[in-house]
Amino acid sequence: MPSSLQPIHVSVPVTAVAIVHFGLRILLLVGEGRQLKIFDNESNRVLHSLQVFRSQSVHGIQCRSEAEQGHLICLIWGGRATTILHIRLDTSDSCTVCLAEELLTDDWISNTCPLNDSKQVNGDQSAFPQAIFLTSHNVLYSLISSSSPQSRVPGRLSYKSVAAGPTSVLYSAHIVLLASGEALIAAGTVFGEVLIWSCGLSSIHNDADVTASASLLRTFRGHEGSVFGVTITETASTVDHGLNTCMVASCSDDRQIKIWDLSSPSGGSAIVKTQTGFKPQFTQGEIRSEKCIASIMGHLSRIWGLRFLSKSGEALRWLSFGEDSTCQTWQLVKNLDNAASISADKQQCYGIQHDESYAYHIGKDIWAVAVDLQKDKASLILTGGADGRIVSYSIPNSDVHKWTADVPIPRQSAVKSQSNSRALSTNNPSLSLTPAERAFSAIQGHWNLYRVLESAIPTYPSGSFTGVAILTQRLPTDDKYDAEYLYVEEGELTTRQGLAMRGSRRYVYRYQRASRSITAWFVKTDTIASVDYLFHQVSFSDVPYQIPKDQFLPNGYVSTAKGHHLCVNDNYDAGYEFQYQHTNLIQWNLKYTVKGPKKDYTASANYTRTAEAESSLPKGMNTVEEGDLACGKERAASMDNFKNYYWLGRSEVIATTTQGCVFLGTLDGSNTTRNLLSKTIGATKSRTFSWDLVGRIPELYSYSIAVSISNHTVILGAANGSLLCYQRSSQEILNFSKLSRKITGLFAEELEGSEDGHRNIAVIACCVSDTTAYYFSFVTDDAMLKDVPTFVKLTLPQNFIVTSVCFTPTEHLLVLGSRSGAVCFYDRSLFHLTSPISACCFIRQVHVDDAITTIQVVPKNSFKTAGNSLLTTGRDGRFALHEVHVRRGDGETNVKLECLHTAIPPFGPNIEGACFDSENEDLLLWGFRSTDFVVWNETKRMEVMKVPCGGAHRSWAYSPRNDGHNGGVFIWTKASTCNVQAQSKASHRVLQAGGHGREIKAMAICPLRIKLDDDYGHLMATGAEDTTIRISFATGVNVSSSQPMRCLGVISKHNTGIQQLQWSSDGRFLFSAAGLEEFYVWRVRRIPCLETGFLCISQCSKVTESSDLRIMGFDVEPIIADVNVEHHKYAITMAYSDSTIRIWSFDASTSGQGFELLSSGIYKSCCLTQIKFLRPGDKSYLLTAGTDGFIAFWPVEDFQGQQERRSSLPKRSSGQNAESFHGDLKWHYQHRIHQSSIKCLTSHHLSDSEVIVATGGDDNAVAFTRIIFDAEFPDLPICFTLLLARAHASTITGIQCLGPQLDSAQSDGRTSWTFATVSNDQRLKTWILTIDSGTPGTEGLSVRKGTSLQSSIADASCMEMTPGFCGEKRIMIAGIGVETWNATHV
């Protein structure tokens, strides 16, 4: 007879995955509990889903394609069970499957391997070996089918022994078929050994029960824990290129990864083969014990498995996965100085190098990984974890999806000058550098110095000076100058008479940009480095002269300069020569001619670079080009560095430099410059990044700030208050205004009403130490500014530093966000006034005390009532959605900001930006997590981009693609280098979203039925050990949906595992409890863009100073004063882990402080586990259950009366009340039901005086207690219990009443009710309780067993039932996963 309970949906850990090629298509096979799902790799669609085993989860899948027969043969195993599945593709979105009957073996299956040659056994037409498998006791078996592989229908399965390896207990194994026809086996034992053995397979085709001979090849020892994973690589080329070796990789409980060499040593093999009998014996002296060639401490926790990534002829690479929910890639390297670990064997200096980490799962444990090594392509990776999520991605990521390059600052001679740029002022300098600029840029650094002194006066020595001169750049000591070098020379002077002496000299060279001149200065002798007075000015000749080709410097030229200084009566004439070859300064000469009454000499110095001198310089330090002040990315040689970046769309970026240059960078654009920089990833496609010089703006020297608008305009601000506008179409920079102070904040938006190519631009500018913000608005087109910008002053609140700006289109408001987390509103309808405008509303702590980084209007089409909704993000790690309420009248504008939703994405603490994807309206958030830049899709709850950039303290800019594929481009500066990373789509695909990453401990289903999109269903809240609460939408059983359950949001506020959840009766509030006395109230409602929003509106105060109590359970009842008033007040009773109970009143209309203690009491020394309100008739009771197996009754007075009585007492805080009430709530009666702890409880009112309470305990019993409330003795209820011992094989953790039987008779006073129970034995059972109202006591109760079904949920913790709607009923079980059953026909 078929069961009346039918499974609908299951979401449990994914324990097996496989990637299968079938013709031109790729299929992804996923084992999730007892289910097998078949996905199409291209479309991500589920082609088929079926239950494979009766009770066992799927642990492994291996397939082979019978292309000629047009079907796949899949070998599936789990625990002791195994089976064969035939798959035939029908169309692009469906397939036909045929499953063999499940076969149970005598032992746990560790690994399997399909056979390539499945010929029949000795001509037996009904025996075809299909595969071999190894059990956990190291015995190899063959799996035999009664039908051939060519048959489309799998036959009956059987198995027989093939060979036995060394006696041991295995945790892992890997089987490889060799070309010789043997099976090579790597077995990881519980004792930390890796056993390598082999055997022939000829016996599997022998009808007789004959075992093959087995040979132990290696015994690898070195792990300090059980070996959880072991794998054998194919022949691969390691770091010794050309040496083909076979390797074994293993991982263990000790968190180590070890690599072992399996190749035969020189001198021949030492393998001795021995015949195996019932218990194979191996000669002790012939078992080889080897050391590993490389080892490394891998993950943060235990490592579960390994997969090799190397193709034939490639260096050895592999992937590991483990308990920390990450996949890590590694590479074997040789003689690597910075390797993470070097083998102790000095003759084999191998190391393991970490390549990349992939963290696409949540919680704990990745259980399954499959690798597809595609030829000439990136490896396809498929993973499944304890969170039920299925993820696929490529290693390495193909450049089609991701591209990274280092982009040096461009040489200005190699970029295109903008011929149509218009000067901002008449004194705009030329874009090319003068000889002074070129020389000053090139002389920095170390030089070898040789000077010849020739004196005409005998008393003044002549000779030669040999030494080193260093010109070190430092900050200018005078604001009039833009750059400064400290010149220091040291060496030895040797006179013509042979006298030698040490000498040192110091000067300061300064460069002034305004005059484009170099000056030399004396240094004070007392301070050594301080500037004293002017020595001379270096004046350059306008035209350099060419060096003849026959001289030592071909293709060279010389730039000359001179200087003069009068020292009292002595004239010092300086002559400079700078000799260049191409763009390199090769050497320079400085000659002093000194004439005076007492002086007459010349000092001719020659400065040259040598290999030793250049080795101390950064790369390219002495390299210059015409018009070049910044030579590549070398900071020490450069006077210019990238300052800031601003994206114009997805492929163009404006970059400013410290020297005031403005560049336009283009990614994959048409290359119009000679500075073509490209980097190829994966050798499949090359992308380019090119620079164009827009102009050099003196106002932007050393400081600039800018903001980009869409893909057409950039507004720039300068230290002198100048405001400039760059338009992409005209490629011009125009100065449109000037403020009196340095501009520290700049924000701009394109306003509503832009049409016909005309754009309405609004700009907000803020200045340093200024309490006024400046609002500009103007109209622009593709060519120029169409009008003179209008100008309005906005008075800022005190200490208000603007960090974000938003213009609301419907209410015509300007919203400003501050560094302190506050916002203020301005009425834009007043912007025509000439006087300063004050804020019409100021709201503090919108994001606590942290900066608000984004304010953005929620798109109108994302929700019916949107248009006045705002999105804000902050550096407190949160984002929030708000509703703006505006009321105008009597010349005033009143604004109220109502928070609808707030959440913390799993990165931070800095959220730096957000946007709504214009294609699919997904909410994208981005910011920094430690040293990584992260882009997060909040709608799909997945990380779509991660860039290891070094952290938030750097110049950077991000631009999303807004095409629905979660791509984007990120540019940043790291170590003075510009870097670009572009992705055309997300870093990975999520085939199945999954759920919690840890065990679910609490579940609650909203009583209201709602509609989302086109589906009807209920909101479901689940809380787990990962401290999060997930709000999901579960569709009804009568609704055909591709997503029976989808996550709408995640709440991350609790600090401990969730203990219990409960919805209010009207479905508007969710109550959550956990350890550390945490109790929160959440308002849940429909919101823009995210469908469902949740906001913590109150927290119950702690009752102890140490806050070390757990809230074991609670119940919520509405306090109704007026039936016409919505339920805003609730009575909440809580049971604490110290055996106390408290009743609180909660007023939802009181923001933040809605809790008031009504009464409290204490039970006994045992712990309470359950608490529930009972309302028989007009009486009120608390029903509690504890670890002693008793239920207790606590009479309580009417909650309204309690509130009135408490209101007459002096007002105290909830914490004070908790300590001041001593036992005003007492239990009056208790009744023994179970032998020990009561784990679950439910109640059903039969009448005003009779209640049925059903309980389950850790004594494995189910009990039904009939409770009679006598009006004459209201404090002493009468209890009768019917106990079903051994109802389950383990603790009962969930019980629910499914309602009356459909065929329940009513005429004789007998009614039947169906109850469902779930236990840790993974059985779901139903019980039919018949109640005879005319027969008192237990004689009026009878129970019969209904159905008993296998549940897929391990460690079930709770069970809930959805409220009925049109006869629809569902049972939902939660534990390690969630399972849904249709109970409509129960």
Side-chain angles (χ1 to χ4, degrees):
M1 180 179 177
S3 172
S4 56
L5 287 174
Q6 298 296 327
I8 300 175
H9 172 71
V10 62
S11 176
V12 293
V14 175
T15 50
V17 292
I19 304 173
V20 185
H21 287 261
F22 188 68
L24 298 178
R25 298 180 63 178
I26 298 178
L27 300 183
L28 309 177
L29 278 63
V30 176
E32 184 180 11
R34 298 175 292 162
Q35 301 288 319
L36 178 74
K37 295 181 180 179
I38 305 173
F39 289 84
D40 179 72
N41 181 59
E42 184 175 353
S43 64
N44 293 350
R45 290 174 56 88
V46 178
L47 303 181
H48 198 86
S49 178
L50 74 157
Q51 181 176 323
V52 177
F53 299 126
R54 289 186 292 271
S55 60
Q56 179 61 51
S57 296
V58 177
H59 291 163
I61 307 168
Q62 288 198 10
C63 301
R64 80 176 191 208
S65 174
E66 296 290 340
E68 295 180 358
Q69 284 71 37
H71 67 278
L72 296 171
I73 298 178
C74 299
L75 177 63
I76 307 170
W77 74 93
R80 294 170 48 231
T82 184
T83 188
I84 289 179
L85 177 71
H86 286 218
I87 304 175
R88 183 177 182 85
L89 294 179
D90 298 330
T91 61
S92 60
D93 57 355
S94 66
C95 64
T96 302
V97 300
C98 188
L99 183 68
E101 185 178 353
E102 175 183 339
L103 173 68
L104 290 179
T105 64
D106 294 332
D107 200 357
W108 191 279
I109 299 174
S110 296
N111 193 249
T112 68
C113 181
L115 295 175
N116 297 324
D117 182 15
S118 298
K119 62 183 179 181
Q120 59 195 23
V121 176
N122 284 344
D124 188 347
Q125 300 272 343
S126 61
F128 294 87
Q130 299 279 331
I132 54 176
F133 62 89
L134 189 73
T135 64
S136 60
H137 284 84
N138 210 14
V139 180
L140 189 68
Y141 292 88
S142 64
L143 181 66
I144 302 172
S145 173
S146 61
S147 63
S148 68
Q150 290 74 28
S151 175
R152 298 183 180 181
V153 179
R156 189 172 180 272
L157 300 179
S158 61
Y159 67 101
K160 75 168 188 174
S161 175
V162 176
T167 302
S168 185
V169 178
L170 308 184
Y171 265 177
S172 58
H174 187 206
I175 306 173
V176 174
L177 295 181
L178 303 178
S180 61
E182 291 183 312
L184 180 64
I185 299 166
T189 73
V190 297
F191 306 110
E193 294 179 331
V194 178
L195 306 176
I196 308 298
W197 61 283
S198 67
C199 70
L201 299 179
S202 59
S203 63
I204 67 175
H205 299 288
N206 194 332
D207 192 23
D209 190 12
V210 178
T211 58
S213 61
S215 302
L216 181 62
L217 308 181
R218 300 283 193 278
T219 300
F220 296 133
R221 298 185 178 95
H223 282 296
E224 298 179 358
S226 301
V227 178
F228 291 139
V230 62
T231 184
I232 306 172
T233 182
E234 298 178 357
T235 300
S237 177
T238 65
V239 289
D240 294 317
H241 295 289
L243 175 61
N244 291 329
T245 59
C246 188
M247 297 287 184
V248 175
S250 60
C251 60
S252 167
D253 194 17
D254 59 8
R255 294 170 47 201
Q256 291 195 40
I257 299 173
K258 293 182 180 293
I259 303 297
W260 318 84
D261 188 0
L262 196 57
S263 59
S264 299
S266 59
S269 174
I271 299 172
V272 176
K273 297 185 178 181
T274 60
Q275 293 293 328
T276 61
F278 176 75
K279 185 176 182 181
Q281 300 293 327
F282 295 86
T283 305
Q284 182 67 27
E286 292 170 342
I287 299 177
R288 295 180 57 84
S289 180
E290 308 286 347
K291 292 183 179 180
C292 69
I293 64 170
S295 177
I296 193 171
M297 185 70 74
H299 294 241
L300 297 175
S301 52
R302 291 176 292 183
I303 308 171
W304 297 137
L306 305 160
R307 300 290 185 270
F308 278 108
L309 302 175
S310 303
K311 304 168 190 176
S312 180
E314 292 183 345
L316 193 66
R317 297 178 62 245
W318 66 93
L319 176 146
S320 62
F321 56 95
E323 193 177 22
D324 58 0
S325 289
T326 66
C327 288
Q328 314 274 348
T329 56
W330 312 84
Q331 184 174 178
L332 186 67
V333 293
K334 187 176 182 181
N335 296 326
L336 186 70
D337 294 335
N338 61 344
S341 175
I342 296 294
S343 172
D345 185 359
K346 299 303 182 182
Q347 295 180 352
Q348 298 288 342
C349 295
Y350 288 94
I352 297 176
Q353 176 180 284
H354 181 265
D355 288 341
E356 189 62 76
S357 177
Y358 303 89
Y360 299 143
H361 291 266
I362 60 175
K364 289 178 60 177
D365 300 313
I366 292 179
W367 291 122
V369 172
V371 176
D372 181 31
L373 301 178
Q374 302 181 27
K375 186 177 181 181
D376 299 330
K377 293 183 180 179
S379 300
L380 177 62
I381 310 297
L382 181 65
T383 64
D387 55 359
R389 177 171 291 193
I390 306 170
V391 176
S392 69
Y393 51 95
S394 296
I395 296 180
N397 282 334
S398 171
D399 63 308
V400 175
H401 307 298
K402 178 180 176 181
W403 178 86
T404 307
D406 299 337
V407 184
I409 198 167
R411 304 180 184 280
Q412 296 171 30
S413 65
V415 299
K416 177 183 67 176
S417 298
Q418 305 300 321
S419 59
N420 57 345
S421 296
R422 292 193 296 176
L424 298 174
S425 58
T426 56
N427 61 351
N428 187 31
S430 169
L431 296 179
S432 61
L433 294 180
T434 63
E437 292 173 316
R438 186 182 306 110
F440 193 82
S441 174
I443 62 174
Q444 181 187 2
H446 292 64
W447 298 89
N448 281 349
L449 170 61
Y450 180 74
R451 180 181 292 116
V452 177
L453 298 175
E454 294 284 350
S455 177
I457 302 176
T459 57
Y460 198 90
S462 297
S464 61
F465 179 88
T466 304
V468 176
I470 303 175
L471 288 94
T472 305
Q473 184 175 2
R474 65 182 188 181
L475 292 176
T477 54
D478 190 334
D479 293 339
K480 297 179 182 178
Y481 297 92
D482 301 296
E484 184 172 300
Y485 293 148
L486 175 64
Y487 173 94
V488 179
E489 66 174 48
E490 291 184 352
E492 186 175 79
L493 174 64
T494 303
T495 66
R496 290 180 177 175
Q497 290 76 24
L499 180 65
M501 63 189 74
R502 298 291 299 177
S504 176
R505 184 176 297 180
R506 293 171 182 256
Y507 297 106
V508 166
Y509 283 92
R510 286 172 167 174
Y511 174 74
Q512 188 178 55
R513 185 179 184 84
S515 61
R516 298 195 175 187
S517 61
I518 299 175
T519 51
W521 299 73
F522 290 107
V523 174
K524 294 180 179 179
T525 57
D526 54 345
T527 61
I528 301 178
S530 299
V531 179
D532 194 355
Y533 58 94
L534 179 66
F535 184 13
H536 62 267
Q537 180 170 330
V538 183
S539 301
F540 282 81
S541 60
D542 294 333
V543 181
Y545 65 88
Q546 297 293 325
I547 298 177
K549 294 183 179 181
D550 56 350
Q551 292 191 15
F552 75 97
L553 197 63
N555 299 320
Y557 61 94
V558 175
S559 179
T560 61
K562 60 183 180 179
H564 176 74
H565 175 72
L566 176 62
C567 181
V568 188
N569 295 321
D570 300 326
N571 287 286
Y572 287 76
D573 292 313
Y576 293 82
E577 285 187 351
F578 299 92
Q579 299 181 7
Y580 300 90
Q581 183 180 28
H582 296 296
T583 59
N584 295 331
L585 178 61
I586 302 302
Q587 64 177 359
W588 58 289
N589 302 314
L590 174 57
K591 181 179 180 180
Y592 286 106
T593 302
V594 183
K595 296 286 188 179
K598 297 182 180 180
K599 294 180 180 180
D600 186 4
Y601 69 90
T602 61
S604 302
N606 174 249
Y607 298 83
T608 59
R609 302 270 199 204
T610 65
E612 295 174 350
E614 291 192 18
S615 65
S616 64
L617 294 175
K619 182 181 177 182
M621 180 173 171
N622 65 330
T623 302
V624 295
E625 282 193 5
E626 181 181 355
D628 192 7
L629 262 179
C631 308
K633 58 186 178 181
E634 290 74 32
R635 185 178 184 89
S638 172
M639 292 172 55
D640 207 357
N641 288 288
F642 284 116
K643 186 70 175 176
N644 294 304
Y645 308 101
Y646 309 94
W647 282 102
L648 288 170
R650 67 177 67 169
S651 61
E652 293 184 327
V653 62
I654 287 291
T656 60
T657 72
T658 56
Q659 291 294 315
C661 294
V662 179
F663 291 97
L664 175 66
T666 305
L667 174 65
D668 273 355
S670 58
N671 179 34
T672 58
T673 72
R674 290 180 289 141
N675 183 37
L676 183 61
L677 307 167
S678 63
K679 184 174 182 179
T680 302
I681 307 295
T684 59
K685 183 181 178 182
S686 177
R687 303 192 70 177
T688 62
F689 197 99
S690 58
W691 290 109
D692 288 329
L693 178 65
V694 176
R696 177 178 293 140
I697 314 302
E699 291 90 337
L700 303 182
Y701 179 77
S702 78
Y703 176 83
S704 65
I705 187 172
V707 60
S708 61
I709 308 168
S710 299
N711 58 356
H712 51 77
T713 304
V714 175
I715 306 297
L716 300 102
N720 65 352
S722 295
L723 286 169
L724 307 99
C725 176
Y726 166 77
Q727 292 184 273
R728 177 65 183 93
S729 55
S730 63
Q731 301 186 16
E732 293 182 331
I733 299 179
L734 303 176
N735 192 330
F736 68 88
S737 187
K738 189 175 187 303
L739 301 177
S740 58
R741 300 185 182 185
K742 178 181 180 179
I743 297 177
T744 56
L746 199 57
F747 314 90
E749 281 192 21
E750 183 176 337
L751 300 180
E752 66 277 5
S754 300
E755 58 183 12
D756 298 332
H758 294 171
R759 304 182 183 95
N760 297 328
I761 305 297
V763 177
I764 300 292
C766 302
C767 298
V768 61
S769 302
D770 198 345
T771 59
T772 300
Y774 302 90
Y775 170 84
F776 298 88
S777 64
F778 53 85
V779 178
T780 181
D781 61 10
D782 292 339
M784 65 181 68
L785 299 179
K786 301 299 293 183
D787 57 3
V788 177
T790 59
F791 173 80
V792 178
K793 291 184 178 180
L794 307 175
T795 302
L796 297 174
Q798 187 176 4
N799 299 324
F800 194 99
I801 300 175
V802 181
T803 56
S804 53
V805 167
C806 177
F807 296 85
T808 64
T810 56
E811 296 295 343
H812 298 285
L813 296 174
L814 168 62
V815 191
L816 303 183
S818 78
R819 184 181 295 176
S820 59
V823 297
C824 62
F825 292 82
Y826 293 85
D827 190 347
R828 288 164 54 196
S829 64
L830 304 177
F831 282 12
H832 63 280
L833 302 177
T834 57
S835 58
I837 299 173
S838 300
C840 60
C841 179
F842 175 61
I843 304 173
R844 300 181 184 273
Q845 291 203 323
V846 175
H847 280 269
V848 196
D849 295 323
D850 294 290
I852 298 176
T853 55
T854 303
I855 305 177
Q856 192 173 121
V857 175
V858 177
K860 291 184 178 180
N861 56 348
S862 65
F863 193 63
K864 293 180 180 179
T865 61
N868 295 332
S869 298
L870 296 178
L871 167 73
T872 61
T873 64
R875 293 204 175 106
D876 59 349
R878 301 172 185 269
F879 76 93
L881 290 168
H882 313 266
E883 189 75 18
V884 181
H885 303 279
V886 182
R887 183 167 53 88
R888 288 183 172 93
D890 300 329
E892 294 184 353
T893 302
N894 296 315
V895 179
K896 179 183 177 182
L897 190 66
E898 179 186 6
C899 186
L900 305 178
H901 172 81
T902 182
I904 304 175
F907 72 90
N910 294 341
I911 303 179
E912 298 293 342
C915 76
F916 294 94
D917 194 302
S918 58
E919 184 68 22
N920 56 16
E921 295 182 5
D922 283 359
L923 174 58
L924 300 178
L925 306 168
W926 55 83
F928 292 89
R929 178 179 58 214
S930 184
T931 59
D932 296 332
F933 174 79
V934 177
V935 182
W936 173 261
N937 187 318
E938 176 65 20
T939 305
K940 292 184 171 62
R941 301 291 307 171
M942 61 179 288
E943 178 185 298
V944 298
M945 186 177 186
K946 184 181 77 170
V947 182
C949 64
H953 302 290
R954 64 198 62 253
S955 298
W956 63 273
Y958 173 71
S959 176
R961 289 178 62 90
N962 283 322
D963 58 0
H965 296 294
N966 294 310
V969 57
F970 180 66
I971 186 170
W972 76 100
T973 298
K974 184 177 182 180
S976 302
T977 302
C978 172
N979 302 268
V980 180
Q981 177 166 314
Q983 288 184 196
S984 61
K985 55 182 66 176
S987 57
H988 62 285
R989 293 185 302 160
V990 177
L991 282 74
Q992 180 174 286
H996 290 278
R998 297 290 301 276
E999 301 87 345
I1000 298 174
K1001 293 298 184 182
M1003 177 172 56
I1005 300 175
C1006 181
L1008 297 184
R1009 183 181 174 91
I1010 64 173
K1011 181 180 180 181
L1012 286 182
D1013 297 331
D1014 296 327
D1015 294 336
Y1016 287 92
H1018 294 266
L1019 293 181
M1020 180 182 71
T1022 54
E1025 287 290 339
D1026 58 8
T1027 74
T1028 65
I1029 301 171
R1030 296 177 74 91
I1031 307 296
S1032 303
F1033 176 67
T1035 58
V1037 297
N1038 298 321
V1039 178
S1040 176
S1041 174
S1042 59
Q1043 289 183 298
M1045 187 180 301
R1046 71 176 189 264
C1047 180
L1048 301 179
V1050 177
I1051 300 175
S1052 302
K1053 187 174 176 65
H1054 284 281
N1055 296 302
T1056 60
I1058 310 301
Q1059 194 74 20
Q1060 185 180 340
L1061 299 168
Q1062 185 174 335
W1063 292 87
S1064 64
S1065 57
D1066 56 9
R1068 293 187 301 151
F1069 300 100
L1070 176 66
F1071 304 87
S1072 62
L1076 301 179
E1077 302 178 34
E1078 294 177 344
F1079 188 90
Y1080 297 119
V1081 184
W1082 308 88
R1083 186 190 300 275
V1084 182
R1085 61 182 131 183
R1086 299 289 302 278
I1087 62 169
C1089 82
L1090 295 179
E1091 296 182 318
T1092 302
F1094 32 84
L1095 179 69
C1096 183
I1097 60 173
S1098 188
Q1099 176 182 0
C1100 186
S1101 299
K1102 306 294 179 68
V1103 298
T1104 62
E1105 294 182 359
S1106 58
S1107 300
D1108 58 350
L1109 296 181
R1110 283 187 298 162
I1111 299 176
M1112 303 299 297
F1114 67 90
D1115 197 13
V1116 179
E1117 281 274 313
I1119 301 176
I1120 305 176
D1122 187 346
V1123 295
N1124 297 319
V1125 177
E1126 294 181 338
H1127 301 163
H1128 284 286
K1129 295 184 179 180
Y1130 298 88
I1132 304 173
T1133 178
M1134 302 183 195
Y1136 294 83
S1137 56
D1138 62 350
S1139 195
T1140 60
I1141 64 173
R1142 291 172 177 82
I1143 301 178
W1144 306 83
S1145 70
F1146 168 68
D1147 189 349
S1149 62
T1150 305
S1151 176
Q1153 302 295 328
F1155 281 91
E1156 180 184 358
L1157 183 64
L1158 298 180
S1159 57
S1160 64
I1162 188 168
Y1163 180 54
K1164 294 190 297 186
S1165 59
C1166 59
C1167 182
L1168 294 175
T1169 58
Q1170 308 289 325
I1171 191 166
K1172 192 173 181 63
F1173 282 113
L1174 290 182
R1175 289 184 176 275
D1178 58 352
K1179 300 295 183 179
S1180 296
Y1181 294 87
L1182 287 181
L1183 176 66
T1184 60
T1187 56
D1188 58 355
F1190 283 82
I1191 60 172
F1193 297 87
W1194 308 63
V1196 294
E1197 65 176 295
D1198 179 69
F1199 299 124
Q1200 191 69 25
Q1202 290 191 54
Q1203 279 198 310
E1204 293 174 355
R1205 181 169 60 88
R1206 296 301 177 193
S1207 63
S1208 63
L1209 298 176
K1211 188 66 176 178
R1212 289 170 289 187
S1213 68
S1214 57
Q1216 292 172 331
N1217 284 335
E1219 299 301 326
S1220 59
F1221 292 117
H1222 299 286
D1224 56 338
L1225 187 65
K1226 298 181 181 296
W1227 60 272
H1228 286 198
Y1229 177 76
Q1230 63 175 181
H1231 174 71
R1232 180 70 174 263
I1233 297 179
H1234 292 271
Q1235 295 180 2
S1236 53
S1237 179
I1238 298 176
K1239 292 295 186 180
C1240 54
L1241 179 150
T1242 187
S1243 64
H1244 181 75
H1245 286 69
L1246 300 177
S1247 66
D1248 288 345
S1249 61
E1250 187 173 0
V1251 177
I1252 283 291
V1253 173
T1255 56
D1258 59 8
D1259 57 358
N1260 307 347
V1262 173
F1264 298 96
T1265 301
R1266 188 177 186 181
I1267 306 173
I1268 308 297
F1269 295 91
D1270 193 337
E1272 296 182 5
F1273 305 98
D1275 294 340
L1276 296 175
I1278 304 172
C1279 300
F1280 305 95
T1281 296
L1282 177 62
L1283 183 72
L1284 302 179
R1286 297 185 298 277
H1288 282 266
S1290 186
T1291 300
I1292 299 169
T1293 54
I1295 188 167
Q1296 284 294 325
C1297 178
L1298 305 184
Q1301 280 279 296
L1302 298 178
D1303 56 351
S1304 177
Q1306 299 288 336
S1307 59
D1308 59 353
R1310 297 168 62 88
T1311 57
S1312 296
W1313 299 81
T1314 302
F1315 289 81
T1317 58
V1318 69
S1319 166
N1320 285 339
D1321 61 4
Q1322 288 190 241
R1323 303 296 297 181
L1324 172 63
K1325 297 184 179 182
T1326 59
W1327 312 88
I1328 293 88
L1329 173 67
T1330 301
I1331 306 171
D1332 187 352
S1333 60
T1335 303
T1338 55
E1339 291 79 7
L1341 301 178
S1342 63
V1343 177
R1344 61 184 174 89
K1345 185 178 178 180
T1347 58
S1348 178
L1349 302 171
Q1350 180 73 27
S1351 171
S1352 298
I1353 304 301
D1355 294 337
S1357 61
C1358 53
M1359 179 170 60
E1360 294 290 334
M1361 189 186 72
T1362 59
F1365 182 81
C1366 297
E1368 172 189 308
K1369 288 185 293 185
R1370 284 177 299 159
I1371 296 174
M1372 307 190 79
I1373 304 171
I1376 302 181
V1378 177
E1379 186 178 42
T1380 306
W1381 295 77
N1382 184 359
T1384 302
H1385 301 293
V1386 174

